[in-house]
Amino acid sequence: MSAAASIDRDPATQVRVVGALAERALRVQFRRAQFLIPSFLLPLVLLAVIASGTSSARHLPGFPSTGAYIGFVVGGTLMQGALLAGITAGIALAVDIEGGFFDRLLSAPVHRVSIVLGRVLAGGALGACQATLFLAVAFLFGARYQGGVPGVAFAIFLTALTAAGMSALAASIALRTGSLSLLQNLFPIVFVLLFTAPAFFPRDLLNGTMRSISEYNPLTYIVEAIRAALHDDTALGSPLNGVIAASALLAGATAIAVWAMRARLRAE
Amino acid sequence: MPADDSAVLVEDLVRTYPGGLRAVDGVNLQVAPGEIYGFLGPNGAGKSTTVRILTTLLRPTSGRALVAGYDVVADAAKVRRTIGVALQEAALDPLMTGRELLGLQGALHGLRRGAARDRGAELLERVDLVDAADRRLGTYSGGMRRRLDLAMALVHRPRVLFLDEPTTGLDPASRAALWREVRLLNDDGTTVFLTTQYLEEAEQLADRVGIIDRGHIVAEGTPDELKGRVGEPRLHVELIDPTRNAEAMAAIAAHGHCSERESGGLVLRTPEGARAIAPVIRALDEAGIEVDAVEVEEPTLDDVFLAVTGHTAAEAEAEAKATLA
């Protein structure tokens, strides 16, 4: 068995490795309270606060009609979940690096890109779980999805892509710095990204500066696409633009993470 | 095609860390297939850095290292396929169970799910962890974690096994259990490269021992050869009646060189070590001399260090810490 062929170059083997690493990352995610609270509880708390505290915003002129207010803001909750899934993925990788588990992976005949992809896949799967939960909770509290099952499935898919992209981005930070405390201090960035996108308010109601900034934030196009799909209304956003933004985020962030992995190995 | 028949071949290996610390400074060593090689030294001597290079986790600054005939830099992937690694402070995820970790390790080594599950079950039995297999690692004792770490290193039946201080911090029973397992593995033909701070461990397990200090190999040989450099074990004998020391010395003179200690009592230098206790007591008994206490003093790592480096292991460790600070 030790004289096996180049298993680190065999695509089928590496697909299994990516799956096994993603499975392990998800197990740890669901068993560690410090990961569950930010990725599941925090977005739900913010959803409750925004849906109940700012619901009168829907009476503003120009606010789109999406039925219950919670049906509009749940798209922002999906984005918040995706961002937090990314940060927790980075934290989990930093824990692995600091604790030595990462060395165990490196000493195995595993293609280095598979280690990155395992983490990214787990981030995507976590994003899908979060989106399913958040949409269900919002539904229980009155949100209705005119886009039906396809609209909901599209929203979950786009959230998963975004969470995978953010996981890759956070993983690249973990790989470059190996610093757990740095990753933990990135939580406020989530809110900056969230509030510089029309996560909880329509883009038309943002003030001039914020609106200009939001045009450079890929989350803008993703959250608008999610709303468009959920409410079957392309006036709320372009599904295609959302897919392009999420895919570009995922591809770009994964490339950065692979580069960060190579840079880390070169520096050893 | 492997470039050399040795299990491990290291030539003029140097590793300098940023800041200029030369952790490994011109190490040369060779380990034959099927051998257990003990790599002995205090903390900071360069043991773990050498092992990290040999297991492809760290690049050498200069020099060459081959494992199973493959270069650790040019053929790193081939090296990884042939080695098993259990690093210092078993880095095991406390939130996963033993069975899950073995399954993951199997997947990392290219086993399909079913094969990984079967191999995991076989190894759990081998390291006596069947009952704890589905418990999270956070509930394992230090000895159980080390045993699982060893099992994980064996998933793919490696030709060369690297064990980095596998028994540090373990109680004597756990240490003995791990030693037994290492011997069994070696009987099956696995080459073992073992780093340790304990001379006793090297003596128990290793066919040959290399002693590293400040990044250099300062002595190499079989445990007996190394012990020979630091003198023979000593038996400290206390008599009930110290005025009979001279008689006692005559009675046990056949077992080694005996002398009186300044603090009282006798010291017998004997190559037999602990094996001399029974005959010495018998000889004194036959001479009608009552014994209060007998204690064996075996050569320690400090003795070896003192003999080959001129300073103790503790001094070397303190110096390494100061350099890192």
Side-chain angles (χ1 to χ4, degrees):
Chain A
M1 196 176 300
S2 56
S6 299
I7 55 175
D8 54 322
R9 300 276 168 195
D10 174 43
T13 304
Q14 290 311 301
V15 166
R16 285 201 301 275
V17 167
V18 169
L21 287 173
E23 186 182 328
R24 178 254 167 184
L26 283 173
R27 276 188 209 279
V28 173
Q29 173 79 32
F30 283 101
R31 289 174 186 175
R32 203 186 289 267
Q34 76 188 78
F35 292 162
L36 280 180
I37 290 170
S39 50
F40 284 92
L41 197 58
L42 207 59
L44 284 176
V45 169
L46 194 67
L47 176 66
V49 168
I50 289 178
S52 61
T54 65
S55 61
S56 55
R58 70 192 164 122
H59 301 303
L60 290 170
F63 201 96
S65 170
T66 55
Y69 180 64
I70 194 171
F72 180 84
V73 295
V74 72
T77 302
L78 299 191
M79 283 303 91
Q80 188 191 4
L83 292 170
L84 291 170
I87 301 271
T88 54
I91 289 174
L93 182 55
V95 168
D96 280 355
I97 291 170
E98 284 194 359
F101 194 83
F102 189 69
D103 282 343
R104 183 179 293 282
L105 301 181
L106 292 181
S107 66
V110 172
H111 199 287
R112 276 45 191 140
V113 174
S114 299
I115 297 174
V116 172
L117 293 183
R119 189 59 69 180
V120 171
L121 181 64
L126 180 64
C129 292
Q130 288 171 309
T132 306
L133 174 72
F134 299 156
L135 289 170
V137 170
F139 183 80
L140 288 176
F141 284 89
R144 291 296 175 264
Y145 310 122
Q146 293 80 6
V149 172
V152 168
F154 181 82
I156 293 171
F157 168 70
L158 220 49
T159 307
L161 275 189
T162 310
M166 294 311 299
S167 298
L169 214 50
S172 62
I173 296 170
L175 287 165
R176 279 309 278 155
T177 66
S179 167
L180 178 58
S181 56
L182 175 68
L183 265 298
Q184 285 168 331
N185 286 322
L186 286 182
F187 276 111
I189 303 282
V190 167
F191 295 97
V192 173
L193 285 171
L194 210 55
F195 289 108
T196 54
F200 299 109
F201 294 95
R203 197 167 3 156
D204 290 344
L205 294 185
L206 297 177
N207 71 31
T209 309
M210 197 64 94
R211 189 174 168 172
S212 301
I213 293 171
S214 72
E215 286 172 9
Y216 295 97
N217 186 342
L219 297 188
T220 296
Y221 306 99
I222 301 170
V223 74
E224 287 179 348
I226 286 173
R227 275 192 202 116
L230 287 177
H231 301 292
D232 194 23
D233 182 358
T234 50
L236 294 171
S238 159
L240 178 63
N241 285 351
V243 171
I244 291 170
S247 303
L249 173 69
L250 175 58
T254 303
I256 292 171
V258 170
W259 166 80
M261 168 68 94
R262 291 196 171 133
R264 180 177 189 85
L265 296 175
R266 269 199 306 276
E268 285 289 323
Chain B
M1 191 68 182
D4 185 89
D5 290 339
S6 306
V8 179
L9 178 66
V10 174
E11 291 174 342
D12 301 323
L13 195 70
V14 173
R15 169 66 198 200
T16 308
Y17 284 108
L21 175 67
R22 224 168 151 86
V24 175
D25 192 5
V27 165
N28 291 283
L29 61 88
Q30 190 166 11
V31 181
E35 193 175 21
I36 299 184
Y37 187 84
F39 203 38
L40 193 68
N43 285 331
K47 301 188 302 290
S48 292
T49 299
T50 305
V51 167
R52 287 179 71 80
I53 292 171
L54 293 176
T55 55
T56 78
L57 291 174
L58 208 57
R59 284 166 182 259
T61 306
S62 64
R64 189 168 82 123
L66 305 182
V67 176
Y70 298 114
D71 189 289
V72 296
V73 177
D75 297 315
K78 287 178 183 161
V79 171
R80 287 181 206 118
R81 286 199 293 275
T82 50
I83 61 171
V85 184
L87 292 174
Q88 202 176 343
E89 300 301 329
L92 302 170
D93 196 324
L95 295 173
M96 291 183 74
T97 69
R99 197 185 302 281
E100 288 167 352
L101 273 169
L102 279 165
L104 174 64
Q105 189 76 2
L108 295 178
H109 284 276
L111 299 186
R112 288 179 184 278
R113 194 176 281 264
R117 191 177 51 234
D118 293 347
R119 178 69 177 146
E122 184 186 326
L123 287 167
L124 283 166
E125 199 159 332
R126 176 165 192 163
V127 297
D128 197 20
L129 284 174
V130 174
D131 292 341
D134 297 308
R135 273 170 36 200
R136 291 188 191 176
L137 258 69
T139 66
Y140 280 31
S141 69
M144 290 164 81
R145 290 168 73 90
R146 291 291 187 170
R147 278 174 6 236
L148 181 68
D149 199 18
L150 180 63
M152 289 176 71
L154 299 176
V155 158
H156 56 302
R157 298 183 174 90
R159 282 156 60 190
V160 185
L161 179 63
F162 289 91
L163 301 175
D164 193 9
E165 302 200 13
T167 62
T168 298
L170 294 191
D171 60 77
S174 302
R175 185 174 294 177
L178 211 99
W179 288 352
R180 254 194 320 275
E181 196 53 48
V182 171
R183 278 191 210 100
L184 287 172
L185 281 167
N186 184 244
D187 289 345
D188 291 344
T190 309
T191 306
V192 181
F193 191 100
L194 166 92
T195 79
T196 181
Q197 297 181 47
Y198 306 126
L199 183 66
E200 184 196 2
E201 184 159 275
E203 265 189 275
Q204 286 284 333
L205 293 175
D207 300 313
R208 275 188 317 124
V209 175
I211 296 179
I212 186 166
D213 178 43
R214 298 170 181 171
H216 300 278
I217 297 234
V218 290
E220 198 178 39
T222 65
D224 283 344
E225 284 168 357
L226 289 174
K227 276 164 58 184
R229 294 199 196 183
V230 294
E232 292 162 336
R234 292 178 287 267
L235 237 61
H236 296 279
V237 183
E238 303 284 344
L239 304 181
I240 300 262
D241 180 2
T243 61
R244 302 189 67 186
N245 274 357
E247 280 176 74
M249 284 167 68
I252 61 178
H255 297 283
H257 175 74
C258 194
S259 57
E260 264 186 291
R261 286 194 302 176
E262 279 182 24
S263 55
L266 306 173
V267 58
L268 177 74
R269 293 176 188 279
T270 169
E272 294 166 43
R275 291 194 306 275
I277 293 176
V280 161
I281 291 176
R282 208 177 303 123
L284 291 171
D285 190 45
E286 283 166 6
I289 301 168
E290 288 182 287
V291 177
D292 188 25
V294 178
E295 197 180 309
V296 185
E297 190 188 344
E298 293 282 353
T300 64
L301 176 59
D302 262 1
D303 296 327
V304 177
F305 251 78
L306 204 54
V308 296
T309 69
H311 55 265
T312 65
E315 285 165 356
E317 192 172 323
E319 190 185 307
K321 276 184 188 159
T323 308
L324 285 173

